[in-house]
Amino acid sequence: MKNSSTTSDNILACARNLIVAGGYNGFSYADIADMVGIRKASIHHHFPSKVDLVRTLVARYREEAELGMANLELQVSDPLELLRLYAGYWEACIADASAPFCICALLASQLPVLPEEVGLEVRAHFRSLSGWLTSVLERGARHGQLQLTSTPLAEAEAFMAAVHGAMLSARAYGDPKIFGVVTGPLLERLASRFPCDESRDGDGCSHDDQDERSST
Amino acid sequence: MKNSSTTSDNILACARNLIVAGGYNGFSYADIADMVGIRKASIHHHFPSKVDLVRTLVARYREEAELGMANLELQVSDPLELLRLYAGYWEACIADASAPFCICALLASQLPVLPEEVGLEVRAHFRSLSGWLTSVLERGARHGQLQLTSTPLAEAEAFMAAVHGAMLSARAYGDPKIFGVVTGPLLERLASRFPCDESRDGDGCSHDDQDERSST
DNA sequence: GACAAACTACCTACTAGATGGTAGGTTACA
DNA sequence: TGTAACCTACCATCTAGTAGGTAGTTTGTC
């Protein structure tokens, strides 16, 4: 808790950025040492092995995510608004490049080569996120605030997949806007209780700017 | 042409499997050498550098994908059926673990640490796939076979994101079925021309000129 | 047909630098 | 005095990549 733990936090923060950029095998202790401004061996003092470091990182990430979900629920009860806030969180992260990818999503793609302990944490995050989304969607459907076209679980999985896939596309296109292009209509569809009604509200599907796709 | 080129193909095939498992930094020339049964240095004979190898691999993957799309179009004209076949292709790959991930999707997640030449190929695949899906969706919407809730481009991006996210979830859960859980309802939604009509199978609304909802 | 040059596919042996990790010492501070 | 944080100096192993050699085949030329 003393501020000396700041070094440990710095190491974790740098590791997080490096993993977001290139995954488990995409960074080394030397990279972190350079960024933090200490020697390689000092990292081993805080995290004996790379597995320890990444496991700790993902475990903490999971805790923060679960805390974030719980806090959202405390502040907002409307299911649609919860989904909007969740998507909006990532949209902001991607837009300002502060953390343009969920580390668990990134690590999941490398699951076959991940140390087992790390893999377990990653899987746990997926289950946790899926569970929360399912509960939100189920509640929304029960109260008539959300329009589901399949089971809450299936819709939750679809929502999560869309968010992860949208992160990937934003990265591939080098264009943060694509995230909103994907998640926006998805939220709208869940919101519209009368999907046949073409004039459901002013703006309609908007996002008229599909000239994104940047270029390179 | 001669069978000696088989070694080169073997190298590419192994590299592909290894990349599918762990991405660009998740394998080494030594791994390939072991799998193919030749020495490390011999790989350099076929592919002078790792960048050459992976760029070739992704370029060939792109060609195959574009050829696959073109062939699909030759055999099938129904837009919904095209999307079903596309999703079905990946569903089969994931189910039998033959190639449970699109290498471009996997590499895109590591784009920031990828050699530039490889990154360009990966981005090109995203544009190509998005373009094809957009054209299929646009055609389906124009002919009244598909029900879009936003622009063809936005729907295409959403479809692609869902497919990629579903691959990720299948891997995270270690359960191939999740892919179908995500893509199934998505295809159904696109298929249902009258989403308000709970009993959509029973025509409900006249003018059902083309009810091809395919077959398989 | 003979023969040499050139080429292909592969090898052994090596390199420099990166990798995760260790041993043991120094400093600062409670 | 003990301990946490950090250091220098290592280590074995792995990394992509190179040098140079060998065996077998193809090709051009007389």
Side-chain angles (χ1 to χ4, degrees):
Chain A
M1 296 321 163
K2 36 189 157 173
N3 70 348
S4 63
S5 75
T6 298
T7 296
S8 165
D9 290 342
N10 284 346
I11 292 168
L12 287 171
C14 290
R16 178 171 168 159
N17 288 337
L18 289 165
I19 287 180
V20 163
Y24 189 83
N25 290 306
F27 76 101
S28 73
Y29 267 39
D31 296 326
I32 297 176
D34 284 347
M35 290 175 70
V36 177
I38 58 175
R39 295 309 167 117
K40 235 182 38 168
S42 306
I43 302 173
H44 286 283
H45 169 72
H46 296 277
F47 304 99
S49 77
K50 194 177 181 181
V51 175
D52 290 315
L53 169 58
V54 179
R55 184 177 31 74
T56 304
L57 174 60
V58 180
R60 189 171 295 193
Y61 176 84
R62 278 217 298 135
E63 275 172 33
E64 283 167 14
E66 283 175 31
L67 209 69
M69 296 177 211
N71 276 341
L72 272 186
E73 297 258 18
L74 286 177
Q75 292 161 22
V76 178
S77 64
D78 178 49
L80 177 62
E81 189 58 17
L82 284 170
L83 297 179
R84 281 216 178 98
L85 287 170
Y86 173 74
Y89 167 78
W90 280 114
E91 192 163 8
C93 286
I94 295 168
D96 69 10
S98 60
F101 225 102
C102 165
I103 56 165
C104 286
L106 210 153
L107 289 174
S109 73
Q110 314 180 336
L111 217 45
V113 297
L114 246 41
E116 198 184 349
E117 301 159 78
V118 175
L120 288 173
E121 291 287 342
V122 169
R123 289 167 194 270
H125 175 75
F126 269 75
R127 281 195 298 272
S128 157
L129 178 54
S130 164
W132 180 68
L133 289 172
T134 302
S135 78
V136 171
L137 286 161
E138 194 276 329
R139 185 149 37 94
R142 187 153 34 84
H143 295 171
Q145 293 149 314
L146 296 181
Q147 166 77 18
L148 307 193
T149 54
S150 55
T151 65
L153 176 62
E155 286 274 8
E157 294 296 347
F159 188 87
M160 190 170 72
V163 165
H164 291 155
M167 284 175 188
L168 201 63
S169 295
R171 174 160 281 185
Y173 292 133
D175 177 12
K177 286 199 298 298
I178 202 72
F179 185 84
V181 169
V182 169
T183 56
L186 177 54
L187 288 164
E188 265 178 45
R189 180 175 64 77
L190 289 167
S192 65
R193 267 166 293 170
F194 308 100
C196 272
D197 185 1
E198 257 98 36
S199 63
R200 60 179 169 283
D201 83 299
D203 66 346
C205 297
S206 61
H207 61 54
D208 40 316
D209 55 340
Q210 59 265 28
D211 62 329
E212 66 283 302
R213 219 53 167 322
S214 73
S215 56
T216 306
Chain B
M1 296 311 169
K2 39 191 160 178
N3 70 349
S4 64
S5 75
T6 298
T7 297
S8 164
D9 291 341
N10 283 346
I11 292 169
L12 287 171
C14 290
R16 179 172 167 159
N17 288 337
L18 289 164
I19 286 179
V20 163
Y24 188 84
N25 290 306
F27 76 100
S28 72
Y29 267 40
D31 296 326
I32 297 176
D34 284 347
M35 290 175 71
V36 176
I38 57 175
R39 296 310 169 114
K40 235 183 39 169
S42 306
I43 303 173
H44 285 284
H45 168 71
H46 295 278
F47 304 98
S49 77
K50 194 176 181 180
V51 175
D52 289 314
L53 169 58
V54 179
R55 184 177 29 74
T56 304
L57 174 60
V58 180
R60 187 171 295 193
Y61 176 83
R62 278 216 300 133
E63 275 171 34
E64 283 168 14
E66 283 175 32
L67 208 69
M69 295 176 211
N71 276 341
L72 272 186
E73 297 258 18
L74 285 178
Q75 292 162 23
V76 178
S77 64
D78 178 50
L80 176 62
E81 188 59 17
L82 283 170
L83 297 180
R84 282 217 178 100
L85 287 171
Y86 173 74
Y89 166 79
W90 280 114
E91 192 163 7
C93 286
I94 295 168
D96 69 10
S98 59
F101 225 102
C102 165
I103 57 166
C104 286
L106 211 152
L107 290 174
S109 75
Q110 312 179 341
L111 218 43
V113 298
L114 246 40
E116 198 183 351
E117 301 159 77
V118 175
L120 288 173
E121 291 287 341
V122 169
R123 289 167 194 269
H125 175 75
F126 270 74
R127 283 194 296 272
S128 157
L129 178 55
S130 163
W132 180 68
L133 289 172
T134 302
S135 78
V136 171
L137 286 161
E138 194 275 331
R139 186 149 36 97
R142 187 153 32 85
H143 295 171
Q145 293 150 315
L146 296 180
Q147 167 77 19
L148 307 192
T149 54
S150 54
T151 65
L153 176 62
E155 287 273 7
E157 294 296 348
F159 188 87
M160 188 169 74
V163 166
H164 290 155
M167 284 175 188
L168 200 64
S169 295
R171 175 160 279 185
Y173 291 132
D175 177 13
K177 286 197 300 295
I178 202 72
F179 185 84
V181 168
V182 170
T183 56
L186 178 53
L187 288 164
E188 261 178 49
R189 179 175 64 76
L190 289 167
S192 64
R193 268 166 292 167
F194 307 99
C196 272
D197 185 2
E198 259 96 37
S199 62
R200 63 172 170 282
D201 58 287
D203 87 322
C205 320
S206 59
H207 79 299
D208 51 346
D209 38 315
Q210 59 260 45
D211 67 331
E212 70 271 331
R213 211 39 194 304
S214 85
S215 47
T216 302

